[in-house]
Amino acid sequence: MKSSHDTIINCLSILYLRSFRMSRYWSAVTHDLTPYVPGEQPALDDLVKLNTNENPYGPSPKALAAIRAVTEDTLRLYPDPDARALKAALANRYGVDPAQVFVGNGSDEVLALAFIGLLKHERPLWMPDVTYSFYPVYCGLYGIEYRQIPLDDDFVLRPEDYLPRGEDRAGAIIFPNPNAPTGRLLPLAEVERIVAANREAVIVVDEAYIDFADQSASAIALVDRYPNLLVVHTFSKSRALAGLRIGFAIGHPDLMTGLERIKNSFNSYPLDRLALAGALASVEDESWFQASCRKVITTRTMLTAQLQALGFEVLPSAANFVFARLPGFDAAELAAALRERAIIVRHLDAPRTAQHLRITVGDDRQCATLLDALRDILGAVR
């Protein structure tokens, strides 16, 4: 009769052989990758989904109408590969020239093209240690050496850490502002300090959440003065079009030309006709956009205050989520207890964030459900 040890060895051998058969055709790059793990999209009834920073208020009605209007015979035709109408609308919205605008299939694609086209150099790419976890994945995919620079104890990015010191200088720099997953905002003057000190390096400021901050904080205001600055935005958060996958970048025309060269060597038609129509109508509906952002900001203020009243430590957030911890409670167990009540939040199991939860700002009903569940959980424990 086989021992339990022999059984375990046999099972491991079978798993290894299956894995080998599945992966023996992979390239070395594929073997070595640690892929990005997107936020969970569970199929649960009556789910309160606060884990992927989606906008609870939905897209502009004008955007939905524009999408419906193009579901016709023209779908047999390719979309405009240059997205000229959308670029013109974005240029008008942000006070730049259309030649300073690049669009892509979500800001993730825009970032991916920037990594290979603008951020791969002999010197390492610098980024924060607590940041958007896709950045190291891109580095692994494209073979980019990188350095992670620690945020301070309060999760604040220190501009002085990004200043060149003799031969110790970055090949390029990337950071989100507001930062993800912390939500903290670096003032525009501090962003400019980094950009101005590194004029020989491309600086990418990922502003996926900037519309939930003071919008005058956007680094787009700096692009005409600094040809090394690329600012990346998304339609997924503030414009509630995550399902269409639309992103864009604004910067010097030379940077745009570089991105276009990479794009046209990969996918000449990144935005389909539905996405182009919806995005254009969304940009043109400024009143809806502003109202939606205000509602999220108002609810964020309420949610922060209520979490603090329950004993949570909540970082100052300029995004559509809050980053919080409850001293004395394990964050993973708290997330699991919420899940049992059909409430999903994001637990990021990394050394510096393992005791924090990132909680999307939902609508008032969703936030009330979350807070009631937390009171119930904490009341049972306490």
Side-chain angles (χ1 to χ4, degrees):
M1 184 174 182
K2 290 185 178 180
S3 68
S4 59
H5 175 77
D6 292 336
T7 301
I8 292 171
I9 293 298
N10 286 338
C11 289
L12 290 174
S13 297
I14 291 169
L15 288 173
Y16 173 79
L17 289 172
R18 286 178 179 172
S19 175
F20 176 77
R21 285 198 297 268
M22 291 171 62
S23 63
R24 64 193 177 109
Y25 297 114
W26 293 357
S27 69
V29 171
T30 307
H31 274 285
D32 294 340
L33 283 177
T34 303
Y36 173 74
V37 179
E40 185 184 8
Q41 301 283 355
L44 300 176
D45 293 333
D46 300 319
L47 179 69
V48 176
K49 189 170 180 294
L50 303 175
N51 67 322
T52 50
N53 303 336
E54 293 150 328
N55 192 316
Y57 299 111
S60 159
K62 294 181 180 179
L64 296 177
I67 294 166
R68 285 190 286 267
V70 295
T71 55
E72 53 189 23
D73 182 62
T74 53
L75 287 181
R76 66 187 175 82
L77 303 174
Y78 284 107
D80 177 6
D82 295 319
R84 287 165 293 183
L86 178 56
K87 287 180 180 178
L90 289 167
N92 181 64
R93 167 68 171 76
Y94 292 99
V96 297
D97 189 271
Q100 294 176 272
V101 182
F102 176 83
V103 299
N105 187 241
S107 63
D108 282 338
E109 182 183 74
V110 176
L111 289 167
L113 299 179
F115 267 75
I116 187 61
L118 303 175
L119 304 183
K120 184 174 182 177
H121 300 283
E122 291 184 4
R123 297 181 185 273
L125 170 65
W126 292 3
M127 66 181 74
D129 67 329
V130 179
T131 192
Y132 185 27
S133 56
F134 222 140
Y135 298 163
V137 174
Y138 290 135
C139 289
L141 180 61
Y142 297 127
I144 300 172
E145 182 184 354
Y146 66 96
R147 178 191 301 179
Q148 292 184 303
I149 299 175
L151 303 176
D152 73 10
D153 291 341
D154 296 318
F155 294 101
V156 174
L157 186 152
R158 296 170 295 209
E160 57 269 22
D161 292 341
Y162 291 81
L163 306 184
R165 295 172 178 82
E167 290 302 308
D168 185 22
R169 58 184 63 237
I173 295 171
I174 186 169
F175 58 89
N177 196 42
N179 193 22
T182 68
R184 301 206 74 144
L185 179 71
L186 188 67
L188 184 59
E190 300 289 73
V191 173
E192 184 172 12
R193 185 180 172 196
I194 295 172
V195 178
N198 292 275
R199 291 177 182 267
E200 300 305 312
V202 173
I203 314 298
V204 174
V205 182
D206 183 354
E207 293 189 340
Y209 301 99
I210 196 68
D211 296 326
F212 303 109
D214 178 354
Q215 292 174 29
S216 65
S218 174
I220 291 175
L222 305 176
V223 296
D224 285 336
R225 298 206 298 276
Y226 298 99
N228 60 322
L229 173 63
L230 184 76
V231 183
V232 178
H233 279 221
T234 179
F235 279 65
S236 295
K237 312 303 181 184
S238 56
R239 296 187 182 275
L241 288 171
L244 279 190
R245 313 307 302 131
I246 307 157
F248 65 97
I250 293 179
H252 191 275
D254 286 350
L255 297 181
M256 303 300 104
T257 300
L259 290 175
E260 293 287 351
R261 287 173 64 87
I262 299 297
K263 185 261 289 186
N264 289 325
S265 301
F266 173 70
N267 179 12
S268 296
Y269 301 95
L271 293 185
D272 62 38
R273 285 179 172 271
L274 304 184
L276 289 171
L280 179 60
S282 177
V283 173
E284 292 174 343
D285 195 353
E286 184 69 17
S287 61
W288 175 89
F289 167 73
Q290 294 292 345
S292 179
C293 290
R294 284 195 300 270
K295 286 191 286 188
V296 171
I297 292 168
T298 298
T299 304
R300 182 184 69 204
T301 302
M302 178 279 296
L303 178 61
T304 298
Q306 291 294 317
L307 287 171
Q308 289 172 331
L310 290 173
F312 280 84
E313 295 176 356
V314 185
L315 290 184
S317 176
N320 69 334
F321 59 84
V322 295
F323 195 60
R325 65 181 292 267
L326 184 60
F329 287 81
D330 182 76
E333 293 178 3
L334 199 53
L338 287 170
R339 186 186 180 87
E340 291 176 357
R341 292 160 173 80
I343 301 169
I344 309 295
V345 298
R346 192 78 186 264
H347 175 241
L348 300 168
D349 190 15
R352 293 193 66 187
T353 62
Q355 291 308 316
H356 288 76
L357 298 176
R358 193 196 69 190
I359 305 171
T360 301
V361 177
D363 61 23
D364 289 345
R365 179 192 61 81
Q366 291 172 317
C367 290
T369 301
L370 167 72
L371 292 165
D372 286 343
L374 287 171
R375 293 186 188 100
D376 182 50
I377 294 167
L378 300 184
V381 174
R382 288 169 173 167

